[in-house]
Protein backbone atom coordinates (compact mmCIF):
# COMPACT_ATOMS: atom_id res chain seq x y z
CA UNK A 1 0.00 0.00 0.00
CA UNK A 2 1.51 3.32 -1.00
CA UNK A 3 2.38 5.67 1.83
CA UNK A 4 0.68 9.05 1.88
CA UNK A 5 2.95 11.92 0.93
CA UNK A 6 2.96 15.21 2.84
CA UNK A 7 2.04 18.46 1.15
CA UNK A 8 3.11 21.77 2.64
CA UNK A 9 0.95 24.85 2.28
CA UNK A 10 1.92 28.54 2.61
CA UNK A 11 1.27 28.59 6.38
CA UNK A 12 4.04 26.09 7.09
CA UNK A 13 1.60 23.31 7.80
CA UNK A 14 2.05 19.76 6.53
CA UNK A 15 -1.10 17.83 5.73
CA UNK A 16 -1.31 14.18 4.78
CA UNK A 17 -2.85 13.25 1.46
CA UNK A 18 -5.88 12.09 3.41
CA UNK A 19 -6.21 15.65 4.75
CA UNK A 20 -6.92 14.52 8.28
CA UNK A 21 -4.34 15.59 10.84
CA UNK A 22 -2.20 18.72 10.38
CA UNK A 23 1.33 18.70 11.76
CA UNK A 24 2.78 22.04 12.82
CA UNK A 25 6.46 22.56 12.18
CA UNK A 26 6.65 24.68 15.33
CA UNK A 27 6.92 22.14 18.12
CA UNK A 28 4.17 22.17 20.73
CA UNK A 29 5.48 22.06 24.32
CA UNK A 30 5.54 18.59 25.82
CA UNK A 31 5.38 17.15 29.31
CA UNK A 32 8.73 16.61 31.00
CA UNK A 33 7.90 12.94 31.46
CA UNK A 34 4.94 10.56 31.50
CA UNK A 35 4.58 10.85 35.28
CA UNK A 36 3.88 14.58 35.06
CA UNK A 37 1.11 13.94 32.56
CA UNK A 38 -0.53 11.20 34.63
CA UNK A 39 -0.33 13.35 37.77
CA UNK A 40 -1.90 16.24 35.85
CA UNK A 41 -4.84 14.11 34.71
CA UNK A 42 -5.24 12.57 38.17
CA UNK A 43 -4.96 15.96 39.85
CA UNK A 44 -7.66 17.36 37.57
CA UNK A 45 -10.07 14.46 37.95
CA UNK A 46 -9.53 13.82 41.68
CA UNK A 47 -10.80 16.70 43.77
CA UNK A 48 -13.87 17.92 45.60
CA UNK A 49 -16.01 15.61 43.50
CA UNK A 50 -14.34 12.63 45.19
CA UNK A 51 -13.74 14.02 48.66
CA UNK A 52 -16.89 16.02 49.16
CA UNK A 53 -19.61 15.34 46.58
CA UNK A 54 -19.29 11.59 46.07
CA UNK A 55 -19.58 10.60 49.78
CA UNK A 56 -22.63 12.84 50.10
CA UNK A 57 -24.35 11.34 47.05
CA UNK A 58 -23.38 7.83 48.09
CA UNK A 59 -24.92 8.28 51.55
CA UNK A 60 -28.00 9.96 50.12
CA UNK A 61 -28.67 7.31 47.49
CA UNK A 62 -28.30 3.95 49.16
CA UNK A 63 -24.59 3.56 49.84
CA UNK A 64 -23.37 0.41 48.09
CA UNK A 65 -26.16 0.51 45.51
CA UNK A 66 -25.04 3.95 44.34
CA UNK A 67 -21.39 2.85 44.35
CA UNK A 68 -22.19 -0.13 42.11
CA UNK A 69 -24.32 1.99 39.78
CA UNK A 70 -21.56 4.59 39.58
CA UNK A 71 -19.07 1.87 38.58
CA UNK A 72 -21.37 0.54 35.86
CA UNK A 73 -21.94 4.00 34.36
CA UNK A 74 -18.22 4.73 34.64
CA UNK A 75 -17.44 1.68 32.50
CA UNK A 76 -20.26 2.23 29.99
CA UNK A 77 -20.14 6.03 29.65
CA UNK A 78 -17.22 7.55 31.53
CA UNK A 79 -14.20 5.62 30.26
CA UNK A 80 -15.22 5.67 26.54
CA UNK A 81 -15.84 9.43 26.59
CA UNK A 82 -12.66 10.00 28.59
CA UNK A 83 -10.70 7.98 26.03
CA UNK A 84 -12.34 9.94 23.22
CA UNK A 85 -11.18 13.26 24.69
CA UNK A 86 -7.67 11.91 25.28
CA UNK A 87 -7.42 10.65 21.71
CA UNK A 88 -8.80 13.87 20.21
CA UNK A 89 -6.35 16.10 22.06
CA UNK A 90 -3.40 13.78 21.47
CA UNK A 91 -3.98 13.31 17.74
CA UNK A 92 -4.90 16.89 16.82
CA UNK A 93 -2.49 18.38 19.40
CA UNK A 94 -4.53 21.49 20.11
CA UNK A 95 -6.66 22.80 22.93
CA UNK A 96 -10.42 22.43 23.21
CA UNK A 97 -11.20 25.30 20.84
CA UNK A 98 -8.69 24.10 18.25
CA UNK A 99 -9.89 20.50 18.40
CA UNK A 100 -13.54 21.36 17.78
CA UNK A 101 -12.59 23.87 15.11
CA UNK A 102 -10.50 21.21 13.38
CA UNK A 103 -13.40 18.75 13.46
CA UNK A 104 -15.72 21.36 11.99
CA UNK A 105 -15.33 25.16 12.07
CA UNK A 106 -18.98 25.48 13.02
CA UNK A 107 -18.29 23.52 16.22
CA UNK A 108 -15.71 25.99 17.53
CA UNK A 109 -18.39 27.42 19.78
CA UNK A 110 -18.34 24.20 21.82
CA UNK A 111 -14.68 24.84 22.60
CA UNK A 112 -15.40 28.44 23.62
CA UNK A 113 -18.31 27.25 25.78
CA UNK A 114 -16.05 24.78 27.60
CA UNK A 115 -13.60 27.60 28.32
CA UNK A 116 -16.41 29.73 29.75
CA UNK A 117 -17.52 26.81 31.95
CA UNK A 118 -13.94 26.36 33.20
CA UNK A 119 -13.82 30.07 34.03
CA UNK A 120 -16.94 29.85 36.17
CA UNK A 121 -15.70 26.68 37.89
CA UNK A 122 -12.33 28.28 38.65
CA UNK A 123 -14.12 31.22 40.28
CA UNK A 124 -15.90 29.16 42.92
CA UNK A 125 -13.08 26.64 43.30
CA UNK A 126 -10.69 29.43 44.23
CA UNK A 127 -13.21 30.72 46.75
CA UNK A 128 -13.18 27.28 48.37
CA UNK A 129 -9.37 27.33 48.31
CA UNK A 130 -9.54 30.72 50.01
CA UNK A 131 -11.75 29.26 52.74
CA UNK A 132 -9.27 26.41 53.15
CA UNK A 133 -6.37 28.83 53.51
CA UNK A 134 -8.33 30.78 56.13
CA UNK A 135 -8.94 27.64 58.18
CA UNK A 136 -5.34 26.53 57.67
CA UNK A 137 -4.08 29.81 59.11
CA UNK A 138 -6.44 29.63 62.09
CA UNK A 139 -5.55 25.99 62.77
CA UNK A 140 -2.14 27.06 64.12
CA UNK A 141 -3.85 28.63 67.14
CA UNK A 142 -4.26 26.79 70.41
CA UNK A 143 -6.93 26.20 71.42
CA UNK A 144 -8.63 26.15 68.05
CA UNK A 145 -10.94 29.18 67.61
CA UNK A 146 -13.88 26.93 66.65
CA UNK A 147 -13.37 24.54 69.55
CA UNK A 148 -15.60 26.46 71.95
CA UNK A 149 -18.04 29.36 71.91
CA UNK A 150 -16.61 32.84 72.51
CA UNK A 151 -17.55 34.77 75.63
CA UNK A 152 -19.52 38.01 75.64
CA UNK A 153 -17.41 41.19 75.86
CA UNK A 154 -16.29 42.03 79.41
CA UNK A 155 -17.71 38.73 80.69
CA UNK A 156 -15.85 35.55 81.54
CA UNK A 157 -18.64 33.08 82.18
CA UNK A 158 -21.42 33.83 79.69
CA UNK A 159 -20.96 32.77 76.06
CA UNK A 160 -22.51 34.39 73.00
CA UNK A 161 -26.20 33.30 72.95
CA UNK A 162 -26.23 32.67 69.20
CA UNK A 163 -23.29 30.30 69.51
CA UNK A 164 -24.86 28.50 72.46
CA UNK A 165 -28.05 27.87 70.45
CA UNK A 166 -26.14 26.35 67.52
CA UNK A 167 -22.54 25.16 67.88
CA UNK A 168 -19.06 26.60 68.08
CA UNK A 169 -18.08 25.35 64.63
CA UNK A 170 -21.23 26.79 63.01
CA UNK A 171 -20.76 30.12 64.74
CA UNK A 172 -17.13 30.36 63.63
CA UNK A 173 -18.06 29.54 60.04
CA UNK A 174 -20.88 32.05 59.68
CA UNK A 175 -19.74 34.86 61.97
CA UNK A 176 -15.93 34.71 61.82
CA UNK A 177 -15.05 33.16 58.46
CA UNK A 178 -17.92 34.46 56.28
CA UNK A 179 -18.98 37.32 58.56
CA UNK A 180 -22.48 37.17 57.15
CA UNK A 181 -25.20 39.64 58.02
CA UNK A 182 -28.79 39.07 59.09
CA UNK A 183 -30.29 40.54 55.90
CA UNK A 184 -29.27 40.78 52.26
CA UNK A 185 -29.76 44.55 52.38
CA UNK A 186 -26.86 44.84 54.83
CA UNK A 187 -23.62 44.12 52.99
CA UNK A 188 -21.54 44.16 56.18
CA UNK A 189 -18.55 45.80 54.51
CA UNK A 190 -15.43 44.14 53.16
CA UNK A 191 -14.23 40.88 54.71
CA UNK A 192 -10.53 41.73 54.76
CA UNK A 193 -9.26 38.37 55.96
CA UNK A 194 -11.17 36.45 53.30
CA UNK A 195 -10.10 38.89 50.57
CA UNK A 196 -6.46 38.27 51.48
CA UNK A 197 -6.98 34.50 51.42
CA UNK A 198 -8.72 34.71 48.03
CA UNK A 199 -5.88 36.84 46.66
CA UNK A 200 -3.33 34.29 47.88
CA UNK A 201 -5.34 31.49 46.24
CA UNK A 202 -5.31 33.25 42.87
CA UNK A 203 -1.62 34.11 43.30
CA UNK A 204 -0.79 30.43 43.80
CA UNK A 205 -2.72 29.53 40.64
CA UNK A 206 -0.95 32.23 38.62
CA UNK A 207 2.50 31.17 39.83
CA UNK A 208 1.72 27.54 38.98
CA UNK A 209 0.58 28.41 35.44
CA UNK A 210 2.78 31.37 34.55
CA UNK A 211 5.12 29.29 32.36
CA UNK A 212 2.57 26.83 31.05
CA UNK A 213 3.32 23.14 31.50
CA UNK A 214 6.95 23.90 32.31
CA UNK A 215 5.86 25.28 35.68
CA UNK A 216 2.54 23.48 36.18
CA UNK A 217 4.14 20.11 35.41
CA UNK A 218 6.50 20.47 38.37
CA UNK A 219 3.69 21.69 40.63
CA UNK A 220 1.82 18.43 39.92
CA UNK A 221 4.31 16.48 42.03
CA UNK A 222 2.88 18.25 45.08
CA UNK A 223 -0.66 19.23 44.12
CA UNK A 224 -1.59 15.73 42.91
CA UNK A 225 0.08 13.75 45.71
CA UNK A 226 -0.75 15.92 48.72
CA UNK A 227 -4.54 15.31 48.52
CA UNK A 228 -3.87 11.61 49.04
CA UNK A 229 -1.98 12.42 52.23
CA UNK A 230 -5.02 14.39 53.42
CA UNK A 231 -7.36 11.57 52.37
CA UNK A 232 -5.26 9.08 54.33
CA UNK A 233 -5.56 11.27 57.41
CA UNK A 234 -9.33 11.49 56.89
CA UNK A 235 -9.52 7.72 56.52
CA UNK A 236 -7.62 7.05 59.73
CA UNK A 237 -9.63 9.66 61.61
CA UNK A 238 -12.94 8.36 60.22
CA UNK A 239 -12.20 4.75 61.14
CA UNK A 240 -11.47 5.76 64.74
CA UNK A 241 -14.85 7.46 65.19
CA UNK A 242 -17.68 5.74 66.99
CA UNK A 243 -20.00 3.87 64.62
CA UNK A 244 -17.51 3.86 61.75
CA UNK A 245 -18.08 0.17 61.03
CA UNK A 246 -21.80 0.82 60.64
CA UNK A 247 -20.98 3.35 57.94
CA UNK A 248 -18.65 0.89 56.20
CA UNK A 249 -21.36 -1.79 56.15
CA UNK A 250 -23.88 0.72 54.77
CA UNK A 251 -21.37 1.68 52.10
CA UNK A 252 -20.68 -1.81 50.80
CA UNK A 253 -24.02 -3.58 51.28
CA UNK A 254 -26.11 -2.59 48.25
CA UNK A 255 -29.86 -2.12 48.31
CA UNK A 256 -30.60 -2.55 44.63
CA UNK A 257 -34.27 -1.58 44.94
CA UNK A 258 -33.14 2.05 44.89
CA UNK A 259 -32.22 1.60 41.22
CA UNK A 260 -35.91 2.01 40.45
CA UNK A 261 -35.55 5.75 41.12
CA UNK A 262 -34.53 7.58 37.95
CA UNK A 263 -33.10 10.38 40.11
CA UNK A 264 -30.39 8.02 41.39
CA UNK A 265 -29.36 7.17 37.81
CA UNK A 266 -29.20 10.85 36.93
CA UNK A 267 -27.05 11.71 39.92
CA UNK A 268 -24.71 8.78 39.28
CA UNK A 269 -24.27 9.79 35.62
CA UNK A 270 -23.71 13.42 36.64
CA UNK A 271 -21.05 12.31 39.11
CA UNK A 272 -19.25 10.34 36.39
CA UNK A 273 -19.01 13.44 34.21
CA UNK A 274 -18.11 15.66 37.15
CA UNK A 275 -15.45 13.31 38.54
CA UNK A 276 -13.60 12.70 35.27
CA UNK A 277 -13.94 16.31 34.16
CA UNK A 278 -15.64 15.42 30.88
CA UNK A 279 -16.69 18.30 28.67
CA UNK A 280 -14.53 20.92 30.39
CA UNK A 281 -11.80 20.82 27.74
CA UNK A 282 -9.01 20.35 30.26
CA UNK A 283 -8.59 16.64 29.45
CA UNK A 284 -8.18 17.55 25.78
CA UNK A 285 -5.68 20.31 26.64
CA UNK A 286 -3.56 18.06 28.86
CA UNK A 287 -3.41 15.25 26.31
CA UNK A 288 -2.49 17.66 23.51
CA UNK A 289 1.00 17.95 24.99
CA UNK A 290 1.62 14.23 24.42
CA UNK A 291 3.22 12.57 21.41
CA UNK A 292 0.77 11.10 18.95
CA UNK A 293 2.10 7.59 19.52
CA UNK A 294 1.36 7.73 23.24
CA UNK A 295 -0.76 4.83 24.55
CA UNK A 296 -3.89 6.79 25.46
CA UNK A 297 -5.87 3.58 26.08
CA UNK A 298 -3.65 2.76 29.03
CA UNK A 299 -3.91 6.36 30.29
CA UNK A 300 -7.71 6.27 30.18
CA UNK A 301 -7.93 3.00 32.13
CA UNK A 302 -5.30 4.09 34.65
CA UNK A 303 -6.72 7.54 35.42
CA UNK A 304 -10.29 6.23 35.59
CA UNK A 305 -9.27 3.44 37.95
CA UNK A 306 -7.39 5.84 40.23
CA UNK A 307 -10.39 8.16 40.22
CA UNK A 308 -12.79 5.34 41.13
CA UNK A 309 -10.70 3.91 43.96
CA UNK A 310 -10.09 7.40 45.32
CA UNK A 311 -13.84 7.94 45.54
Amino acid sequence: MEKAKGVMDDSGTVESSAGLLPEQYSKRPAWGNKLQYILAQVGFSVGLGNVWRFPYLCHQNGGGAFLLLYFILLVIIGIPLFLLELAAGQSIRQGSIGVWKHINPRLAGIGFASCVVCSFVSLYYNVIIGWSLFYLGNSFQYPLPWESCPFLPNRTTEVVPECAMSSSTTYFWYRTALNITDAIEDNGGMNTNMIICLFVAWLIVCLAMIKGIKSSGKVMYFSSVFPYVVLLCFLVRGLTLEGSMDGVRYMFIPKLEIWGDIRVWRQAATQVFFALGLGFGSVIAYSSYNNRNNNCHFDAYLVSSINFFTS
Side-chain angles (χ1 to χ4, degrees), residues 1-310:
M1 188 173 181
E2 185 178 359
K3 294 183 179 179
K5 296 181 180 180
V7 180
M8 184 173 68
D9 60 14
D10 296 336
S11 63
T13 301
V14 174
E15 292 188 1
S16 65
S17 59
L20 295 177
L21 301 176
E23 295 183 1
Q24 300 293 336
Y25 269 102
S26 56
K27 285 188 176 181
R28 185 174 178 84
W31 296 102
N33 52 60
K34 184 63 175 286
L35 180 59
Q36 285 186 3
Y37 167 66
I38 294 298
L39 289 177
Q41 292 287 13
V42 171
F44 175 71
S45 62
V46 175
L48 292 178
N50 304 81
V51 181
W52 193 345
R53 192 171 187 268
F54 184 84
Y56 168 75
L57 291 177
C58 198
H59 179 270
Q60 186 184 42
N61 297 289
F66 183 83
L67 181 65
L68 182 58
L69 180 59
Y70 172 78
F71 175 77
I72 294 174
L73 294 179
L74 178 67
V75 173
I76 297 176
I77 301 175
I79 295 179
L81 290 178
F82 188 67
L83 174 61
L84 184 63
E85 292 200 13
L86 291 180
Q90 181 176 305
S91 60
I92 301 176
R93 302 208 71 192
Q94 296 185 42
S96 179
I97 298 175
V99 165
W100 285 106
K101 188 176 181 180
H102 176 78
I103 296 173
N104 191 315
R106 296 181 179 180
L107 299 179
I110 299 178
F112 284 103
S114 66
C115 292
V116 172
V117 171
C118 285
S119 300
F120 285 121
V121 172
S122 64
L123 289 176
Y124 76 78
Y125 257 62
N126 276 284
V127 170
I128 297 175
I129 294 175
W131 293 343
S132 303
L133 292 174
F134 179 80
Y135 271 85
L136 177 64
N138 282 274
S139 65
F140 289 98
Q141 301 181 38
Y142 183 81
L144 294 173
W146 55 82
E147 185 176 346
S148 58
C149 290
F151 295 102
L152 290 173
N154 301 324
R155 299 185 184 181
T156 57
T157 58
E158 188 175 352
V159 298
V160 177
E162 182 183 2
C163 181
M165 289 187 295
S166 57
S167 66
S168 57
T169 54
T170 303
Y171 181 84
F172 180 84
W173 166 244
Y174 285 107
R175 294 305 184 191
T176 305
L178 299 183
N179 192 23
I180 66 171
T181 58
D182 295 327
I184 194 172
E185 296 81 9
D186 183 11
N187 58 31
M190 302 291 286
N191 191 340
T192 307
N193 293 332
M194 200 56 67
I195 291 176
I196 295 174
C197 292
L198 184 60
F199 173 78
V200 173
W202 278 106
L203 181 62
I204 294 173
V205 172
C206 291
L207 292 176
M209 300 180 62
I210 194 168
K211 292 185 178 180
I213 63 171
K214 290 183 179 180
S215 57
S216 61
K218 295 178 176 61
V219 174
M220 297 300 174
Y221 289 113
F222 172 79
S223 61
S224 299
V225 175
F226 181 72
Y228 285 92
V229 178
V230 177
L231 286 174
L232 180 61
C233 297
F234 285 166
L235 176 63
V236 174
R237 173 58 178 165
L239 292 177
T240 58
L241 295 175
E242 183 180 355
S244 60
M245 290 299 103
D246 295 333
V248 172
R249 283 191 293 269
Y250 179 79
M251 182 76 172
F252 291 102
I253 299 178
K255 299 178 181 178
L256 299 182
E257 59 272 12
I258 201 171
W259 286 12
D261 188 355
I262 190 64
R263 180 179 57 87
V264 178
W265 286 79
R266 177 176 56 83
Q267 291 187 347
T270 303
Q271 179 61 22
V272 169
F273 279 80
F274 189 81
L276 291 177
L278 300 175
F280 286 94
S282 300
V283 174
I284 295 176
Y286 284 152
S287 63
S288 67
Y289 298 108
N290 280 329
N291 294 323
R292 284 178 176 165
N293 59 357
N294 177 63
N295 188 355
C296 58
H297 293 83
F298 173 78
D299 298 339
Y301 297 138
L302 178 62
V303 175
S304 301
S305 299
I306 294 175
N307 182 282
F308 174 76
F309 287 108
T310 301

